[in-house]
Amino acid sequence: MFNRWKKSTREQSDDNASQGGTQTPVPTEPPGRYEVQASLLTDVGCHREVNEDCGRFIQPGDSELLERKGLLLIVADGMGGHSAGEVASNLAVNWISRAYYDDPREPQAALNDAFQEANRSIFETAQGDEDLRGMGTTCTALVLQNGSAVAAHVGDSRLYLVRNQAIYLMTEDHSAVMEMVKRGLISLEAARHHPDKNIILRALGSQPEVEVSTWEQPFPVREGDAFLLCSDGLYDLVEDDEIKQAVLSGSPHSACEKLIALAKDRGGHDNITVGIVSLRPVGNEGNRELRETREVEVRK
């Protein structure tokens, strides 16, 4: 029986909202040499008083740690009412970023266990405070390490890949409507407008244990790839093709700004968080943009 977790603090998105699709096979190509350019922005949106989203990009300054554990990008979208969602998403980001780099094992195992630790921490915190009881958060994380990517995912925040002028959804929403799509009960188009589209089946902290979705093996990356993580405040209002065009049209920072502005122009009913990591040819001044990232924490 699926555990249903209602994003009850959110308004229903309008009829033009995009629920997203199932995963598309990505063509793999030999990795090349690249430099990382990254940006991560968050915005409270047009109707919320509190930003329950949280994100972080970490590029270790220690070269040995960078070689062994790579770069980490996290986006979390909290739920629970009042300030509980904000607490949950911040706990998730803090626990995962610390636990991942403290774990001596290979990236995928370390990332999976970091999610499990975050889940236990959020659940135990909620049980000890009546005001936080029932809080939870979605969370999606990406690691880039030695020419490969690994990911972990709970809920309906998303990870996209833009490669060779195409966009691929690399995660599957843990939501009631996507489960109905998988079972053939409704079409993908119907899912976009379904009244239960804000019901998710998994969240960090809602139960003592959680199933974390991971890739079966590391995914080879190559020069020119761009990965985008976002909360549903973006993809509810911005189509996948529009996301792709923004990523391709400029730097990660300008793309984040453009996408947040587009979601707000269309109502901005929810908090909006976008993180982009782009693998640019060696020699670009890619890392300069890290210093320009605003509103969310960047650690080096």
Side-chain angles (χ1 to χ4, degrees):
M1 189 71 180
F2 287 98
N3 180 38
R4 291 176 175 254
W5 185 253
K6 176 69 173 178
K7 294 182 175 179
S8 56
T9 63
R10 302 184 177 187
E11 299 173 9
Q12 297 292 323
S13 54
D14 63 21
D15 287 343
N16 292 323
S18 170
Q19 183 61 36
T22 55
Q23 293 169 298
T24 303
V26 182
T28 58
E29 301 180 34
R33 298 183 62 215
Y34 57 82
E35 293 179 340
V36 174
Q37 189 174 12
S39 187
L40 180 60
L41 298 180
T42 189
D43 193 281
V44 70
C46 299
H47 300 286
R48 302 303 173 87
E49 296 181 357
V50 176
N51 193 341
E52 296 182 309
D53 285 2
C54 186
R56 184 171 296 166
F57 175 78
I58 302 176
Q59 178 179 338
D62 181 272
S63 59
E64 187 278 332
L65 184 61
L66 179 62
E67 176 75 14
R68 183 167 52 87
K69 300 306 290 278
L71 315 175
L72 175 64
L73 177 62
I74 314 170
V75 168
D77 179 358
M79 300 156 289
H82 304 292
S83 63
E86 184 180 18
V87 172
S89 62
N90 276 273
L91 278 172
V93 168
N94 288 334
W95 269 97
I96 291 167
S97 57
R98 180 171 64 249
Y100 172 73
Y101 284 105
D102 286 346
D103 194 318
R105 293 175 299 165
E106 53 85 21
Q108 189 66 80
L111 190 59
N112 182 75
D113 274 15
F115 267 62
Q116 298 293 348
E117 288 190 35
N119 181 74
R120 287 190 290 270
S121 174
I122 297 167
F123 182 78
E124 291 170 3
T125 300
Q127 296 308 299
D129 188 334
E130 187 65 33
D131 291 337
L132 301 177
R133 192 68 57 86
M135 71 177 176
T137 183
T138 73
C139 192
T140 301
L142 172 75
V143 170
L144 294 176
Q145 185 257 349
N146 283 341
S148 295
V150 299
H153 170 63
V154 172
D156 67 350
S157 294
R158 288 183 175 180
L159 167 60
Y160 290 92
L161 166 67
V162 176
R163 169 178 285 182
N164 292 341
Q165 308 294 313
I167 186 168
Y168 304 92
L169 179 57
M170 305 293 284
T171 53
E172 183 178 277
D173 298 346
H174 300 142
S175 65
V177 293
M178 288 310 298
E179 187 63 28
M180 288 188 279
V181 170
K182 288 167 62 178
R183 294 181 178 184
L185 301 176
I186 62 173
S187 67
L188 185 58
E189 182 63 28
R192 293 172 178 164
H193 314 294
H194 198 281
D196 291 336
K197 64 185 174 183
N198 283 344
I199 295 177
I200 62 173
L201 305 179
R202 300 184 209 172
L204 291 182
S206 62
Q207 297 292 328
E209 303 292 334
V210 67
E211 181 182 355
V212 180
S213 291
T214 58
W215 297 338
E216 292 183 359
Q217 57 188 7
F219 178 79
V221 301
R222 66 182 302 272
E223 176 190 313
D225 285 349
F227 292 91
L228 180 145
L229 278 69
C230 65
S231 60
D232 65 343
L234 178 76
Y235 71 74
D236 267 355
L237 298 173
V238 181
E239 299 289 343
D240 289 4
D241 190 63
E242 294 173 312
I243 293 174
K244 179 191 72 175
Q245 292 303 326
V247 171
L248 293 174
S249 66
S251 70
H253 188 75
S254 64
C256 287
E257 289 186 320
K258 182 181 298 184
L259 289 168
I260 287 176
L262 186 56
K264 292 178 71 174
D265 285 345
R266 294 175 181 176
H269 58 79
D270 202 352
N271 308 144
I272 310 157
T273 299
V274 188
I276 300 174
V277 178
S278 182
L279 311 183
R280 301 297 173 93
V282 172
N284 277 13
E285 295 182 2
N287 289 329
R288 178 176 57 82
E289 189 161 295
L290 292 174
R291 298 195 296 270
E292 301 172 356
T293 304
R294 299 177 179 83
E295 297 191 35
V296 287
E297 186 172 358
V298 176
R299 292 186 177 180
K300 299 176 69 176

PDB file of all heavy atoms in Angstrom, residues 110-140:
ATOM      1  N   ALA A 110      27.490   6.143  -0.440  1.00  0.00           N
ATOM      2  CA  ALA A 110      27.539   7.238   0.524  1.00  0.00           C
ATOM      3  C   ALA A 110      26.326   8.148   0.386  1.00  0.00           C
ATOM      4  O   ALA A 110      25.748   8.599   1.392  1.00  0.00           O
ATOM      5  CB  ALA A 110      28.823   8.040   0.332  1.00  0.00           C
ATOM      6  N   LEU A 111      25.909   8.425  -0.850  1.00  0.00           N
ATOM      7  CA  LEU A 111      24.769   9.311  -1.063  1.00  0.00           C
ATOM      8  C   LEU A 111      23.476   8.657  -0.584  1.00  0.00           C
ATOM      9  O   LEU A 111      22.639   9.302   0.055  1.00  0.00           O
ATOM     10  CB  LEU A 111      24.662   9.669  -2.549  1.00  0.00           C
ATOM     11  CG  LEU A 111      23.664  10.766  -2.917  1.00  0.00           C
ATOM     12  CD1 LEU A 111      23.988  12.067  -2.202  1.00  0.00           C
ATOM     13  CD2 LEU A 111      23.643  10.985  -4.423  1.00  0.00           C
ATOM     14  N   ASN A 112      23.301   7.377  -0.866  1.00  0.00           N
ATOM     15  CA  ASN A 112      22.107   6.669  -0.426  1.00  0.00           C
ATOM     16  C   ASN A 112      22.008   6.681   1.102  1.00  0.00           C
ATOM     17  O   ASN A 112      20.938   6.959   1.667  1.00  0.00           O
ATOM     18  CB  ASN A 112      22.124   5.238  -0.934  1.00  0.00           C
ATOM     19  CG  ASN A 112      20.878   4.470  -0.533  1.00  0.00           C
ATOM     20  OD1 ASN A 112      19.808   4.667  -1.096  1.00  0.00           O
ATOM     21  ND2 ASN A 112      21.006   3.591   0.456  1.00  0.00           N
ATOM     22  N   ASP A 113      23.104   6.379   1.791  1.00  0.00           N
ATOM     23  CA  ASP A 113      23.068   6.364   3.248  1.00  0.00           C
ATOM     24  C   ASP A 113      22.877   7.758   3.822  1.00  0.00           C
ATOM     25  O   ASP A 113      22.255   7.920   4.883  1.00  0.00           O
ATOM     26  CB  ASP A 113      24.352   5.740   3.790  1.00  0.00           C
ATOM     27  CG  ASP A 113      24.259   4.226   3.864  1.00  0.00           C
ATOM     28  OD1 ASP A 113      23.334   3.657   3.245  1.00  0.00           O
ATOM     29  OD2 ASP A 113      25.117   3.609   4.530  1.00  0.00           O
ATOM     30  N   ALA A 114      23.397   8.787   3.137  1.00  0.00           N
ATOM     31  CA  ALA A 114      23.172  10.159   3.595  1.00  0.00           C
ATOM     32  C   ALA A 114      21.691  10.502   3.559  1.00  0.00           C
ATOM     33  O   ALA A 114      21.168  11.175   4.470  1.00  0.00           O
ATOM     34  CB  ALA A 114      23.969  11.128   2.717  1.00  0.00           C
ATOM     35  N   PHE A 115      20.974  10.033   2.539  1.00  0.00           N
ATOM     36  CA  PHE A 115      19.525  10.228   2.477  1.00  0.00           C
ATOM     37  C   PHE A 115      18.839   9.511   3.641  1.00  0.00           C
ATOM     38  O   PHE A 115      17.906  10.049   4.256  1.00  0.00           O
ATOM     39  CB  PHE A 115      18.975   9.716   1.145  1.00  0.00           C
ATOM     40  CG  PHE A 115      18.881  10.761   0.072  1.00  0.00           C
ATOM     41  CD1 PHE A 115      20.017  11.410  -0.391  1.00  0.00           C
ATOM     42  CD2 PHE A 115      17.660  11.101  -0.488  1.00  0.00           C
ATOM     43  CE1 PHE A 115      19.932  12.372  -1.390  1.00  0.00           C
ATOM     44  CE2 PHE A 115      17.559  12.060  -1.482  1.00  0.00           C
ATOM     45  CZ  PHE A 115      18.705  12.704  -1.940  1.00  0.00           C
ATOM     46  N   GLN A 116      19.276   8.293   3.944  1.00  0.00           N
ATOM     47  CA  GLN A 116      18.669   7.546   5.039  1.00  0.00           C
ATOM     48  C   GLN A 116      18.902   8.247   6.378  1.00  0.00           C
ATOM     49  O   GLN A 116      17.991   8.313   7.222  1.00  0.00           O
ATOM     50  CB  GLN A 116      19.236   6.120   5.081  1.00  0.00           C
ATOM     51  CG  GLN A 116      18.970   5.282   3.838  1.00  0.00           C
ATOM     52  CD  GLN A 116      17.501   4.955   3.632  1.00  0.00           C
ATOM     53  OE1 GLN A 116      16.663   5.152   4.509  1.00  0.00           O
ATOM     54  NE2 GLN A 116      17.178   4.433   2.453  1.00  0.00           N
ATOM     55  N   GLU A 117      20.094   8.776   6.585  1.00  0.00           N
ATOM     56  CA  GLU A 117      20.374   9.507   7.818  1.00  0.00           C
ATOM     57  C   GLU A 117      19.512  10.760   7.913  1.00  0.00           C
ATOM     58  O   GLU A 117      19.003  11.097   8.982  1.00  0.00           O
ATOM     59  CB  GLU A 117      21.858   9.872   7.878  1.00  0.00           C
ATOM     60  CG  GLU A 117      22.783   8.700   8.130  1.00  0.00           C
ATOM     61  CD  GLU A 117      24.196   9.167   8.414  1.00  0.00           C
ATOM     62  OE1 GLU A 117      24.367  10.232   9.051  1.00  0.00           O
ATOM     63  OE2 GLU A 117      25.137   8.463   8.003  1.00  0.00           O
ATOM     64  N   ALA A 118      19.369  11.465   6.801  1.00  0.00           N
ATOM     65  CA  ALA A 118      18.531  12.658   6.798  1.00  0.00           C
ATOM     66  C   ALA A 118      17.082  12.303   7.121  1.00  0.00           C
ATOM     67  O   ALA A 118      16.410  13.010   7.880  1.00  0.00           O
ATOM     68  CB  ALA A 118      18.616  13.356   5.442  1.00  0.00           C
ATOM     69  N   ASN A 119      16.596  11.205   6.551  1.00  0.00           N
ATOM     70  CA  ASN A 119      15.226  10.782   6.813  1.00  0.00           C
ATOM     71  C   ASN A 119      15.012  10.520   8.307  1.00  0.00           C
ATOM     72  O   ASN A 119      14.023  10.976   8.892  1.00  0.00           O
ATOM     73  CB  ASN A 119      14.917   9.514   6.022  1.00  0.00           C
ATOM     74  CG  ASN A 119      13.495   9.032   6.222  1.00  0.00           C
ATOM     75  OD1 ASN A 119      12.552   9.615   5.705  1.00  0.00           O
ATOM     76  ND2 ASN A 119      13.323   7.971   6.999  1.00  0.00           N
ATOM     77  N   ARG A 120      15.926   9.789   8.927  1.00  0.00           N
ATOM     78  CA  ARG A 120      15.792   9.493  10.360  1.00  0.00           C
ATOM     79  C   ARG A 120      15.834  10.764  11.195  1.00  0.00           C
ATOM     80  O   ARG A 120      15.067  10.923  12.153  1.00  0.00           O
ATOM     81  CB  ARG A 120      16.896   8.529  10.790  1.00  0.00           C
ATOM     82  CG  ARG A 120      16.692   7.105  10.293  1.00  0.00           C
ATOM     83  CD  ARG A 120      17.668   6.153  10.934  1.00  0.00           C
ATOM     84  NE  ARG A 120      19.031   6.352  10.468  1.00  0.00           N
ATOM     85  CZ  ARG A 120      19.543   5.735   9.414  1.00  0.00           C
ATOM     86  NH1 ARG A 120      18.816   4.896   8.695  1.00  0.00           N
ATOM     87  NH2 ARG A 120      20.794   5.957   9.055  1.00  0.00           N
ATOM     88  N   SER A 121      16.722  11.689  10.843  1.00  0.00           N
ATOM     89  CA  SER A 121      16.840  12.926  11.600  1.00  0.00           C
ATOM     90  C   SER A 121      15.556  13.755  11.526  1.00  0.00           C
ATOM     91  O   SER A 121      15.078  14.279  12.543  1.00  0.00           O
ATOM     92  CB  SER A 121      18.016  13.749  11.071  1.00  0.00           C
ATOM     93  OG  SER A 121      18.077  15.014  11.704  1.00  0.00           O
ATOM     94  N   ILE A 122      15.000  13.879  10.323  1.00  0.00           N
ATOM     95  CA  ILE A 122      13.777  14.668  10.163  1.00  0.00           C
ATOM     96  C   ILE A 122      12.623  14.012  10.912  1.00  0.00           C
ATOM     97  O   ILE A 122      11.850  14.694  11.620  1.00  0.00           O
ATOM     98  CB  ILE A 122      13.437  14.825   8.664  1.00  0.00           C
ATOM     99  CG1 ILE A 122      14.538  15.606   7.956  1.00  0.00           C
ATOM    100  CG2 ILE A 122      12.095  15.535   8.484  1.00  0.00           C
ATOM    101  CD1 ILE A 122      14.455  15.542   6.444  1.00  0.00           C
ATOM    102  N   PHE A 123      12.495  12.705  10.796  1.00  0.00           N
ATOM    103  CA  PHE A 123      11.409  11.996  11.475  1.00  0.00           C
ATOM    104  C   PHE A 123      11.526  12.133  12.990  1.00  0.00           C
ATOM    105  O   PHE A 123      10.539  12.432  13.679  1.00  0.00           O
ATOM    106  CB  PHE A 123      11.422  10.521  11.079  1.00  0.00           C
ATOM    107  CG  PHE A 123      10.318   9.716  11.693  1.00  0.00           C
ATOM    108  CD1 PHE A 123       9.025   9.783  11.190  1.00  0.00           C
ATOM    109  CD2 PHE A 123      10.569   8.915  12.797  1.00  0.00           C
ATOM    110  CE1 PHE A 123       7.996   9.052  11.764  1.00  0.00           C
ATOM    111  CE2 PHE A 123       9.555   8.180  13.383  1.00  0.00           C
ATOM    112  CZ  PHE A 123       8.262   8.247  12.866  1.00  0.00           C
ATOM    113  N   GLU A 124      12.718  11.929  13.519  1.00  0.00           N
ATOM    114  CA  GLU A 124      12.900  12.016  14.971  1.00  0.00           C
ATOM    115  C   GLU A 124      12.689  13.443  15.476  1.00  0.00           C
ATOM    116  O   GLU A 124      12.111  13.645  16.552  1.00  0.00           O
ATOM    117  CB  GLU A 124      14.298  11.516  15.336  1.00  0.00           C
ATOM    118  CG  GLU A 124      14.460  10.020  15.134  1.00  0.00           C
ATOM    119  CD  GLU A 124      15.900   9.555  15.264  1.00  0.00           C
ATOM    120  OE1 GLU A 124      16.772  10.413  15.573  1.00  0.00           O
ATOM    121  OE2 GLU A 124      16.166   8.350  15.068  1.00  0.00           O
ATOM    122  N   THR A 125      13.114  14.426  14.709  1.00  0.00           N
ATOM    123  CA  THR A 125      12.887  15.815  15.090  1.00  0.00           C
ATOM    124  C   THR A 125      11.400  16.129  15.141  1.00  0.00           C
ATOM    125  O   THR A 125      10.914  16.792  16.067  1.00  0.00           O
ATOM    126  CB  THR A 125      13.587  16.768  14.113  1.00  0.00           C
ATOM    127  OG1 THR A 125      14.999  16.503  14.113  1.00  0.00           O
ATOM    128  CG2 THR A 125      13.352  18.219  14.488  1.00  0.00           C
ATOM    129  N   ALA A 126      10.670  15.636  14.154  1.00  0.00           N
ATOM    130  CA  ALA A 126       9.219  15.874  14.112  1.00  0.00           C
ATOM    131  C   ALA A 126       8.509  15.196  15.280  1.00  0.00           C
ATOM    132  O   ALA A 126       7.555  15.752  15.844  1.00  0.00           O
ATOM    133  CB  ALA A 126       8.652  15.376  12.786  1.00  0.00           C
ATOM    134  N   GLN A 127       8.951  14.009  15.648  1.00  0.00           N
ATOM    135  CA  GLN A 127       8.310  13.295  16.749  1.00  0.00           C
ATOM    136  C   GLN A 127       8.532  14.000  18.078  1.00  0.00           C
ATOM    137  O   GLN A 127       7.727  13.861  19.007  1.00  0.00           O
ATOM    138  CB  GLN A 127       8.852  11.863  16.829  1.00  0.00           C
ATOM    139  CG  GLN A 127       8.529  10.997  15.623  1.00  0.00           C
ATOM    140  CD  GLN A 127       7.056  10.989  15.278  1.00  0.00           C
ATOM    141  OE1 GLN A 127       6.227  10.581  16.090  1.00  0.00           O
ATOM    142  NE2 GLN A 127       6.726  11.452  14.082  1.00  0.00           N
ATOM    143  N   GLY A 128       9.606  14.759  18.181  1.00  0.00           N
ATOM    144  CA  GLY A 128       9.916  15.426  19.438  1.00  0.00           C
ATOM    145  C   GLY A 128       9.353  16.825  19.571  1.00  0.00           C
ATOM    146  O   GLY A 128       9.575  17.479  20.596  1.00  0.00           O
ATOM    147  N   ASP A 129       8.660  17.311  18.559  1.00  0.00           N
ATOM    148  CA  ASP A 129       8.122  18.677  18.602  1.00  0.00           C
ATOM    149  C   ASP A 129       6.743  18.683  17.965  1.00  0.00           C
ATOM    150  O   ASP A 129       6.598  18.450  16.764  1.00  0.00           O
ATOM    151  CB  ASP A 129       9.071  19.613  17.844  1.00  0.00           C
ATOM    152  CG  ASP A 129       8.696  21.079  17.993  1.00  0.00           C
ATOM    153  OD1 ASP A 129       7.507  21.387  18.225  1.00  0.00           O
ATOM    154  OD2 ASP A 129       9.601  21.933  17.859  1.00  0.00           O
ATOM    155  N   GLU A 130       5.731  18.958  18.756  1.00  0.00           N
ATOM    156  CA  GLU A 130       4.355  18.920  18.266  1.00  0.00           C
ATOM    157  C   GLU A 130       4.143  19.888  17.099  1.00  0.00           C
ATOM    158  O   GLU A 130       3.369  19.602  16.178  1.00  0.00           O
ATOM    159  CB  GLU A 130       3.387  19.266  19.409  1.00  0.00           C
ATOM    160  CG  GLU A 130       1.922  19.097  19.046  1.00  0.00           C
ATOM    161  CD  GLU A 130       1.551  17.652  18.748  1.00  0.00           C
ATOM    162  OE1 GLU A 130       2.140  16.748  19.362  1.00  0.00           O
ATOM    163  OE2 GLU A 130       0.677  17.448  17.873  1.00  0.00           O
ATOM    164  N   ASP A 131       4.836  21.014  17.121  1.00  0.00           N
ATOM    165  CA  ASP A 131       4.674  21.997  16.045  1.00  0.00           C
ATOM    166  C   ASP A 131       5.246  21.503  14.722  1.00  0.00           C
ATOM    167  O   ASP A 131       4.898  22.034  13.660  1.00  0.00           O
ATOM    168  CB  ASP A 131       5.355  23.314  16.415  1.00  0.00           C
ATOM    169  CG  ASP A 131       4.642  24.044  17.539  1.00  0.00           C
ATOM    170  OD1 ASP A 131       3.436  23.787  17.736  1.00  0.00           O
ATOM    171  OD2 ASP A 131       5.304  24.850  18.225  1.00  0.00           O
ATOM    172  N   LEU A 132       6.142  20.504  14.774  1.00  0.00           N
ATOM    173  CA  LEU A 132       6.766  19.990  13.566  1.00  0.00           C
ATOM    174  C   LEU A 132       6.229  18.631  13.148  1.00  0.00           C
ATOM    175  O   LEU A 132       6.656  18.072  12.137  1.00  0.00           O
ATOM    176  CB  LEU A 132       8.283  19.883  13.764  1.00  0.00           C
ATOM    177  CG  LEU A 132       9.018  21.179  14.117  1.00  0.00           C
ATOM    178  CD1 LEU A 132      10.497  20.899  14.349  1.00  0.00           C
ATOM    179  CD2 LEU A 132       8.832  22.237  13.031  1.00  0.00           C
ATOM    180  N   ARG A 133       5.280  18.106  13.933  1.00  0.00           N
ATOM    181  CA  ARG A 133       4.766  16.767  13.678  1.00  0.00           C
ATOM    182  C   ARG A 133       4.173  16.676  12.263  1.00  0.00           C
ATOM    183  O   ARG A 133       3.363  17.507  11.863  1.00  0.00           O
ATOM    184  CB  ARG A 133       3.684  16.425  14.703  1.00  0.00           C
ATOM    185  CG  ARG A 133       3.251  14.965  14.764  1.00  0.00           C
ATOM    186  CD  ARG A 133       4.352  14.080  15.296  1.00  0.00           C
ATOM    187  NE  ARG A 133       4.833  14.455  16.614  1.00  0.00           N
ATOM    188  CZ  ARG A 133       4.280  14.059  17.757  1.00  0.00           C
ATOM    189  NH1 ARG A 133       3.193  13.291  17.736  1.00  0.00           N
ATOM    190  NH2 ARG A 133       4.805  14.421  18.907  1.00  0.00           N
ATOM    191  N   GLY A 134       4.602  15.658  11.518  1.00  0.00           N
ATOM    192  CA  GLY A 134       4.091  15.449  10.162  1.00  0.00           C
ATOM    193  C   GLY A 134       4.877  16.145   9.068  1.00  0.00           C
ATOM    194  O   GLY A 134       4.528  16.053   7.894  1.00  0.00           O
ATOM    195  N   MET A 135       5.960  16.835   9.415  1.00  0.00           N
ATOM    196  CA  MET A 135       6.727  17.525   8.369  1.00  0.00           C
ATOM    197  C   MET A 135       7.487  16.509   7.506  1.00  0.00           C
ATOM    198  O   MET A 135       7.745  15.375   7.914  1.00  0.00           O
ATOM    199  CB  MET A 135       7.704  18.526   8.972  1.00  0.00           C
ATOM    200  CG  MET A 135       8.883  17.924   9.702  1.00  0.00           C
ATOM    201  SD  MET A 135      10.013  19.215  10.304  1.00  0.00           S
ATOM    202  CE  MET A 135      11.212  18.220  11.203  1.00  0.00           C
ATOM    203  N   GLY A 136       7.856  16.940   6.327  1.00  0.00           N
ATOM    204  CA  GLY A 136       8.630  16.107   5.413  1.00  0.00           C
ATOM    205  C   GLY A 136       9.192  16.971   4.304  1.00  0.00           C
ATOM    206  O   GLY A 136       8.919  18.169   4.223  1.00  0.00           O
ATOM    207  N   THR A 137       9.968  16.356   3.432  1.00  0.00           N
ATOM    208  CA  THR A 137      10.545  17.109   2.323  1.00  0.00           C
ATOM    209  C   THR A 137      10.876  16.178   1.170  1.00  0.00           C
ATOM    210  O   THR A 137      11.248  15.026   1.382  1.00  0.00           O
ATOM    211  CB  THR A 137      11.826  17.863   2.762  1.00  0.00           C
ATOM    212  OG1 THR A 137      12.322  18.654   1.678  1.00  0.00           O
ATOM    213  CG2 THR A 137      12.912  16.917   3.224  1.00  0.00           C
ATOM    214  N   THR A 138      10.707  16.674  -0.030  1.00  0.00           N
ATOM    215  CA  THR A 138      11.281  16.005  -1.190  1.00  0.00           C
ATOM    216  C   THR A 138      12.776  16.276  -1.185  1.00  0.00           C
ATOM    217  O   THR A 138      13.247  17.205  -0.509  1.00  0.00           O
ATOM    218  CB  THR A 138      10.698  16.527  -2.506  1.00  0.00           C
ATOM    219  OG1 THR A 138      11.223  17.835  -2.773  1.00  0.00           O
ATOM    220  CG2 THR A 138       9.175  16.604  -2.452  1.00  0.00           C
ATOM    221  N   CYS A 139      13.535  15.518  -1.919  1.00  0.00           N
ATOM    222  CA  CYS A 139      14.968  15.805  -2.042  1.00  0.00           C
ATOM    223  C   CYS A 139      15.524  15.095  -3.262  1.00  0.00           C
ATOM    224  O   CYS A 139      15.258  13.912  -3.483  1.00  0.00           O
ATOM    225  CB  CYS A 139      15.725  15.370  -0.790  1.00  0.00           C
ATOM    226  SG  CYS A 139      17.412  16.013  -0.736  1.00  0.00           S
ATOM    227  N   THR A 140      16.304  15.823  -4.037  1.00  0.00           N
ATOM    228  CA  THR A 140      17.023  15.272  -5.177  1.00  0.00           C
ATOM    229  C   THR A 140      18.455  15.763  -5.101  1.00  0.00           C
ATOM    230  O   THR A 140      18.694  16.945  -4.862  1.00  0.00           O
ATOM    231  CB  THR A 140      16.375  15.698  -6.502  1.00  0.00           C
ATOM    232  OG1 THR A 140      15.018  15.253  -6.528  1.00  0.00           O
ATOM    233  CG2 THR A 140      17.110  15.104  -7.685  1.00  0.00           C
TER     234      THR A 140
END
